Amino acid sequence: MTEAPSRPKAAEPGPQAGGALDPLEPLPLLRRELGTGERGLSDREAARRLAVYGPNEVRRKARTSLGRELVRQLVHPLALLLWAAAAMAFVADIAVLGWAIVAVILLNAGFALLQERQAEQAVETLARYLPTHATVIRNGRQETAEARDLVPGDLIVLDEGDKIPADARLTEGGIEADLSMLTGESAPADRVAGPGLVGAPMIQEPNLVFSGTTCTGGQAQAIVFATGDHTEIGRIAALSQRTHRDPSPLEQQVKKVAWLIAAVAVAMGAVFLVVGVAVGLPLTDSLMFAIGLLVANVPEGLLPTITLALAVGVRVLARQGAVIKRLSAVETLGSTNVICTDKTGTLTRNRMRLQGTWTPSNGTDSGPWTGELMRASALCTTVAREENGQLHGDPTEVALVEGSAAHAAPVDLEARDAGRRAQFRFDPRLRRMSVIQDDGARGLRVIVKGAPEAVLSRLADGTAAAADAADRLARAGMRVLAVAERELPPGSLPPGSREDAEQGLRLLGLVGLYDPPRPEVAAAVRRCHEAGLRVHIVTGDNGATAAAVAGEVGIGVPHLHVVPQSESINDHELDHLLTLPDTEVVFARSSPETKLKVADALRAHGQVVAMTGDGVNDAPALHRAHIGVAMGLSGTDVAREASTMVLTDDNFATIVTAIESGRRVYDNVRKFIVYIFAHAPAEIVPFLVFALSAGTVPLPLTVMQILAIDLGTETLPALALGRERAEPGVMSRPPRPSTQGVISRDMLVRSWGYLGMVSAALVMTAFFYVLWRAGWHPGDATGPGSPLHHAYVTATTATFAGIVTCQVGTAFAARTDHAALRDIGFFTNPLLLAGIAFELVFTAALVYVPPLQGIFGTAALPLDVVALIAVFPVLVWGTDELRRRARRNRLHTSHRLRETHHVAHR
C-alpha cells in the first residue's frame, strides 16, 4: 500500500509542522487536530500558519551556478584536446581555424548545459499544475484567496472546473475528479464525503482530493491537510529532484577515449621533441615537429561529428514517432536490454470493447448475445453523444453502449435520458451504480450494474454459479460487471433511497470488457526477444488482466511471473525476481515508488533500462531510467519534461523501432570513428620520418595541411557515414554490454594497423616520388630560396592530396564492418558520394587556387602525380576488402567445424 506522506501533527490551537497526521481519521478528530471548524480559520491564524508552513507551492532546490556548470563543460577531456588544437592553430598563426575550433567547443558545451537543465524543467512544469487562486472559507465568509497562501486547516470550496489547490479531505458534498496526472487513468474518479476504505492506497481513498488535479463535476467542501512540499505533487517533485541522471554509455566512453588520445598525443609529442633535439635538430624544428604531432593526434572533428550524427538520428526517430530530447540517448537506446512498459494505452489501444457475456440461462459463450442483458447495461450509463456523433464518457460505459448496439440491442440515448426517473451514481465504496428507468411498455424498473461481488450481494436468489463465472471471466483478463434489475409494480413511486432501490434484484448476467492489445505489439515483442531484450510490465492494473494482455502479445515467453501487489515486494525479492533466467515479470498495482524501485534494481544489476510512463507520478522513474519514455498523446506535461523520449503515437512498437535505430546509430558512430582514426598514421608517419632521419628528410606535411584535413576534408564524409542504413541482422544480435567501449581493439587494429599503415605507405611513396623526380637526395636543402624549394612544396602537396584520396578509400571500406561492399551497395549512401565530391573539390581548390596556395603552402600537382594518387582509394579499399573476406572465410570455417563437432557428439 502506498504510504501517506508525512503530515503535520496537531496541537491546540492548530497543527505543528514536522509531526504525523492521518487524514482518514474520524472527521471530528481531524477537525480538532487541525484546529478548525465550519467557519474555517481566522485571517490571523491563517497568517500565523503561513509563517510556519511556508507558501503552498512546489519549491525547487537551488540551481547550480551557470558559470560553474559552464566551466565543468569546458574542461571536459575532449574539450581540453580541442583547446590544445585551437592553441596550436593560433601558434601556427591560423586564427580563422583557431576561432572555428573555439566555436565547436562552445557549441558542445551549450548542448551539455541544456541537458543539465532538464530535471529542473520537470519540477517547474509540476508547479504549473497548481492553480493561482482558490475559494476558501475564512472568518465564516466565503472569499477568494491566493492558492499559495493556503495552509493546513483551511476550509476550501470546490466547484466544477476548479483546479484543486491542496491535498484535502471532503467534509460535505461530492465531486468527480480528474486524477489522470497522478494515476494515469483517464476516467474521472468519484470523491464523496464519508469514511475511507479499509486498506486502500491513499490515492484511491474516496474522500480525499489532491493538489493539481481537477474537479470535473459536482460541488463540495474540503478541509486542507497538506500544502506545498507535503502534498502528493510536492512529494513527486522531491523524488524527481533527488534522482539524478548518470552520463550515458557514449558520454562515458568518449571521455575515456579523450583521455587515451590526450595521453598518446602528449606522450608522443614529448618523446619526439626529446628525440629531435637528441639527433641534432634545431630546437625550433623540434618544437614544430612536436606541435604537428599533437595536432595530428587530436581528432578535432570527432566531437562535432558525433554530435551532428546523433542529431541526424534524432531527426530520423522523430519522423518515426519518437521525439528524443537528449542527443546521447540515441546511442543509449542501442544498448538497452530491458523495457519496463505500462499496459494501458501502450500495449493496448486504451479503448474498452465488449469481450464476453454470461447469463443464468445460457452460460458463457454458449449461445447468442443476450439482448436483454446488453440493453439493460447500456441503459445504466451516463454516456452522451457529441455533435460529431462520437460517444463521450467513461470508457467502460462507452464500451457497453457500443456493445449493445453491435449486438442488436441499441439504446437511444435521448430516450434513455427522457425516461430516467432517478439515478444513484457510482459509489467507490459500494462499487456499483443504479438507475430507475421508465422503459416504455415495461414500466418502471431499477437497473443496477457494478462489481460482481457488490451486485450479487443484493440478489434475491442464489449466486454461486454467477460468482464462478465472474472468476473465469476475470482470469481471462476481462473487467467484469454484473447487471441486475427489479421491476416496480405499476403505479408505484420510485424508491427514494439507494438502499430501498438496490434490493430484491434479479440477475440479468455478467458482462466482460477488454482493452485489446495494439495489433503491432506482438510482432514488436517478438523482435525484442530476438534482439535479446526482456520486457516487464509495470502497471497499476489488476495482475490477472495484465497477465492476460502479456500472454496475448507474447510477453513472458518462456516464463511469466506476476507480482499481484508490487508495492509490498522488498529489495531482496526484487533482486531475485529480476535475475531469474528467461523470466519476464508483471508488476501489478504499482505505485510511483515501485517504478523507481524497479528502475534502480535493474540499474544495480548492470541493465540499461527503458521505462514508460504518462502520469505525474511516473516522473521520478522516468527521470531515473536510462531512457525515460513518456506518452505524447495521453501523457502529462510533467512526464514529458522528465522523460528522455516522447512517443507521439503512444505505441510500444515505436520503442522497438527506436532501439533498432539506436543500434544503427551506434554502429555508424563506430564506422566514422574508424574513418577518422584511419588517417592518423598517415599524418604521424611523415613526422616520424622527419625525426628519425635527423632532418635529412624534410617535413612531408605541414601543420596547416593537417588542420585542413581534420577540420575540412574529413567532416562531411564522416557525417555521411552516420547516415548509413542498418546492416542485416542488427536486431538478431544480443544487446552489447554497457561496459563495452565504443572503440575496441579490433577497431584500432583495423584503423591504425590496416587502413592507416596502408595509407601512410602510399602517401610517403607520393612524397618521395615527387622529390626524387626533381633530383633530390637525402640532406639536400629544400628551404625558401633553394633550387629544390618548389619541388618540396609540390611534394608536401602530394602528401596532403594523397591523404585525402586515401580517405576516399577509407570511407568506402568503413561502410561495413563484416559484409562485402557489393552486399551493401556502392550507391546506397548518396550523402557519402556528395561528401566525397565536396572533399575532392575542396582539396582541388587548396591545391590550384593561388590565394589558398599561399595560406596552406600548396602547389599545383603535375598530371603524373595526380594519376598516382588517383589509384590510392582503390588500393586502400581493396586491401581492407581482402582482409574482411579472409575474416568471413575464417568465421564460416569455424562455424562449420562447430556444427560438425555438435553433430558428431549427438
Side-chain angles (χ1 to χ4, degrees):
M1 186 178 76
T2 304
E3 292 183 2
S6 59
R7 306 296 181 189
K9 177 67 178 174
E12 296 299 340
Q16 296 176 352
L21 181 146
D22 181 7
L24 299 174
E25 61 192 358
L27 192 57
L29 179 60
L30 182 64
R31 287 185 187 275
R32 186 165 66 251
E33 291 198 352
L34 286 170
T36 187
E38 294 182 358
R39 292 176 53 85
L41 301 175
S42 66
D43 288 337
R44 286 201 309 275
E45 177 62 16
R48 185 188 73 79
R49 295 188 186 187
L50 184 62
V52 172
Y53 292 100
N56 176 35
E57 59 189 10
V58 176
R59 289 194 290 270
R60 300 191 303 270
K61 62 182 179 182
R63 284 191 173 190
T64 307
S65 163
L66 183 62
R68 185 178 300 172
E69 289 185 10
L70 183 60
V71 168
R72 190 170 70 248
Q73 300 303 331
L74 294 180
V75 296
H76 180 280
L78 202 50
L80 292 176
L81 287 180
L82 291 175
W83 282 120
M88 296 303 100
F90 287 119
V91 168
D93 200 22
I94 315 165
V96 173
L97 288 177
W99 287 119
I101 298 173
V102 170
V104 169
I105 297 170
L106 296 177
L107 178 65
N108 284 287
F111 275 126
L113 284 178
L114 288 176
Q115 296 165 16
E116 292 286 336
R117 295 295 183 182
Q118 283 185 353
E120 293 172 3
Q121 290 173 358
V123 178
E124 289 167 2
T125 305
L126 275 171
R128 292 203 295 270
Y129 274 87
L130 303 179
T132 55
H133 293 85
T135 303
V136 61
I137 296 175
R138 285 187 180 161
N139 305 307
R141 300 188 305 274
Q142 184 172 306
E143 58 186 61
T144 300
E146 295 254 351
R148 71 187 304 274
D149 292 337
L150 290 182
V151 294
D154 261 326
L155 194 60
I156 57 175
V157 177
L158 304 175
D159 210 338
E160 182 175 347
D162 288 348
K163 275 192 174 180
I164 295 168
D167 288 5
R169 160 90 174 266
L170 297 189
T171 57
E172 62 179 73
I175 64 170
E176 285 187 341
D178 178 3
L179 304 181
S180 60
M181 60 166 293
L182 291 175
T183 64
E185 296 296 330
S186 57
D190 288 280
R191 291 293 184 259
V192 294
L197 293 175
V198 177
M202 188 170 177
I203 200 72
Q204 297 177 13
E205 288 291 352
N207 56 11
L208 300 184
V209 292
F210 300 96
S211 178
T213 60
T214 304
C215 173
T216 59
Q219 189 177 53
Q221 285 188 10
I223 185 170
V224 173
F225 63 83
T227 60
D229 291 338
H230 292 285
T231 61
E232 287 291 297
I233 200 171
R235 182 175 59 86
I236 292 167
L239 279 173
S240 295
Q241 293 186 122
R242 284 200 296 271
T243 57
H244 66 279
R245 275 199 184 97
D246 293 331
S248 76
L250 182 64
E251 291 166 332
Q252 294 170 335
Q253 291 161 19
V254 166
K255 184 173 289 189
K256 291 179 181 177
V257 170
W259 283 119
L260 172 64
I261 295 172
V264 170
V266 172
M268 290 182 67
V271 167
F272 286 103
L273 175 62
V274 174
V275 170
V277 174
V279 298
L281 287 178
L283 181 60
T284 304
D285 290 348
S286 297
L287 183 60
M288 179 58 69
F289 161 71
I291 290 172
L293 199 59
L294 176 62
V295 174
N297 271 284
V298 174
E300 292 89 350
L302 178 61
L303 193 58
T305 301
I306 289 177
T307 300
L308 293 175
L310 292 177
V312 168
V314 166
R315 289 196 296 273
V316 170
L317 282 172
R319 290 195 292 270
Q320 296 171 334
V323 177
I324 304 292
K325 297 167 56 184
R326 192 155 51 107
L327 289 181
S328 60
V330 179
E331 179 272 337
T332 308
L333 279 164
S335 59
T336 297
N337 46 25
V338 177
I339 301 175
C340 295
T341 177
D342 283 322
K343 178 186 73 68
T344 305
T346 308
L347 298 178
T348 66
R349 296 181 178 183
N350 197 19
R351 182 175 174 81
M352 286 282 187
R353 64 175 169 82
L354 195 60
Q355 179 81 354
T357 61
W358 179 91
T359 60
S361 56
N362 292 334
T364 304
D365 296 332
S366 59
W369 295 86
T370 304
E372 183 184 15
L373 169 64
M374 296 313 305
R375 177 174 169 79
S377 66
L379 285 172
C380 190
T381 62
T382 58
V383 172
R385 193 175 296 278
E386 297 180 337
E387 292 181 3
N388 59 8
Q390 295 292 318
L391 295 176
H392 174 71
D394 181 90
T396 298
E397 294 194 340
V398 169
L400 291 175
V401 173
E402 290 179 341
S404 179
H407 295 91
V411 168
D412 185 324
L413 299 182
E414 292 184 0
R416 175 203 64 184
D417 294 341
R420 182 158 296 172
R421 297 294 175 259
Q423 173 185 322
F424 301 103
R425 66 185 193 177
F426 180 78
D427 187 320
R429 292 167 296 183
L430 300 176
R431 301 180 65 196
R432 60 180 182 263
M433 74 167 286
S434 56
V435 295
I436 300 175
Q437 198 74 24
D438 186 347
D439 201 11
R442 297 193 58 178
L444 284 181
R445 59 174 176 156
V446 178
I447 304 174
V448 182
K449 81 171 193 302
E453 60 272 23
V455 175
L456 297 182
S457 64
R458 313 298 293 179
L459 298 182
D461 49 14
T463 63
D468 290 342
D471 187 54
R472 287 196 301 273
L473 291 173
R475 285 201 304 271
M478 300 182 210
R479 181 181 181 186
V480 185
L481 298 176
V483 183
E485 70 158 6
R486 176 166 70 93
E487 294 186 358
L488 299 177
S492 63
L493 295 175
S497 70
R498 164 171 254 151
E499 183 64 25
D500 292 339
E502 298 172 351
Q503 61 177 335
L505 302 174
R506 177 178 69 90
L507 182 66
L508 295 175
L510 304 175
V511 177
L513 302 173
Y514 192 54
D515 182 9
R518 292 175 179 266
E520 63 276 12
V521 167
V525 170
R526 189 163 54 252
R527 290 174 65 203
C528 284
H529 291 162
E530 291 171 355
L533 281 77
R534 289 195 190 186
V535 183
H536 303 309
I537 298 177
V538 188
T539 178
D541 282 353
N542 174 273
T545 303
V549 171
E552 196 163 339
V553 300
I555 294 174
V557 177
H559 304 300
L560 181 70
H561 186 95
V562 179
V563 182
Q565 292 293 332
S566 57
E567 291 182 31
S568 62
I569 192 170
N570 59 45
D571 287 345
H572 176 72
E573 294 170 331
L574 185 60
D575 289 341
H576 173 71
L577 195 55
L578 293 175
T579 53
L580 289 175
D582 302 322
T583 299
E584 292 174 329
V585 185
V586 170
F587 294 96
R589 302 302 186 196
S590 65
S591 68
E593 289 81 2
T594 307
K595 279 194 170 183
L596 191 57
K597 188 190 298 185
V598 170
D600 279 334
L602 287 167
R603 290 183 68 117
H605 290 289
Q607 307 295 305
V608 179
V609 187
M611 174 80 72
T612 71
D614 52 11
V616 169
N617 57 344
D618 294 328
L622 293 176
H623 191 65
R624 182 60 177 150
H626 294 93
I627 299 291
V629 184
M631 302 297 111
L633 296 176
S634 61
T636 60
D637 289 343
V638 176
R640 286 191 285 268
E641 288 288 355
S643 67
T644 310
M645 181 169 77
V646 179
L647 301 183
T648 58
D649 55 2
D650 290 12
N651 193 340
F652 177 84
T654 304
I655 303 175
V656 184
T657 301
I659 289 174
E660 180 179 7
S661 185
R663 291 188 175 190
R664 177 183 60 81
V665 167
Y666 179 77
D667 287 348
N668 290 345
V669 167
R670 291 166 67 95
K671 289 174 184 177
F672 65 66
I673 287 177
V674 166
Y675 170 75
I676 289 173
F677 277 25
H679 72 259
E683 293 180 354
I684 294 170
V685 166
F687 287 93
L688 297 181
V689 171
F690 166 70
L692 297 176
S693 69
T696 57
V697 176
L699 271 172
L701 194 63
T702 68
V703 174
M704 191 63 187
Q705 290 165 354
I706 290 175
L707 289 173
I709 294 168
D710 290 356
L711 292 177
T713 64
E714 82 175 8
T715 303
L716 287 183
L719 285 175
L721 287 172
R723 297 295 297 272
E724 281 288 335
R725 293 183 298 184
E727 291 191 47
V730 70
M731 288 296 280
S732 300
R733 64 188 189 220
R736 63 180 178 82
S738 58
T739 55
Q740 176 184 313
V742 70
I743 297 178
S744 65
R745 183 179 62 84
D746 288 343
M747 288 174 62
L748 294 179
V749 169
R750 182 187 183 195
S751 58
W752 288 345
Y754 287 92
L755 296 169
M757 294 311 295
V758 169
S759 298
L762 291 174
V763 299
M764 290 309 298
T765 299
F767 175 74
F768 285 121
Y769 171 76
V770 174
L771 285 181
W772 284 332
R773 194 186 65 162
W776 171 85
H777 295 88
D780 288 350
T782 57
S786 66
L788 292 173
H789 180 64
H790 180 73
Y792 167 68
V793 174
T794 304
T796 61
T797 304
T799 305
F800 163 68
I803 291 176
V804 173
T805 55
C806 285
Q807 282 182 323
V808 174
T810 300
F812 282 109
R815 291 185 61 196
T816 172
D817 188 31
H818 302 287
L821 184 59
R822 67 175 179 273
D823 296 334
I824 303 298
F826 190 84
F827 299 104
T828 53
N829 190 340
L831 286 176
L832 179 63
L833 299 177
I836 289 172
F838 168 81
E839 73 173 331
L840 293 177
V841 170
F842 179 76
T843 302
L846 267 58
V847 171
Y848 292 105
V849 176
L852 296 177
Q853 288 176 336
I855 295 174
F856 289 92
T858 58
L861 295 174
L863 286 179
D864 59 331
V865 178
V866 173
L868 175 63
I869 65 175
V871 301
F872 288 0
V874 177
L875 294 174
V876 172
W877 163 75
T879 55
D880 191 69
E881 189 78 9
L882 292 174
R883 182 194 66 84
R884 280 182 279 120
R885 178 186 294 177
R887 184 182 181 189
R888 289 195 301 273
N889 289 338
R890 286 197 307 271
L891 291 175
H892 180 66
T893 302
S894 175
H895 180 67
R896 290 182 61 185
L897 288 174
R898 282 198 302 270
E899 284 188 340
T900 302
H901 179 75
H902 179 67
V903 170
H905 277 74
R906 288 178 62 187

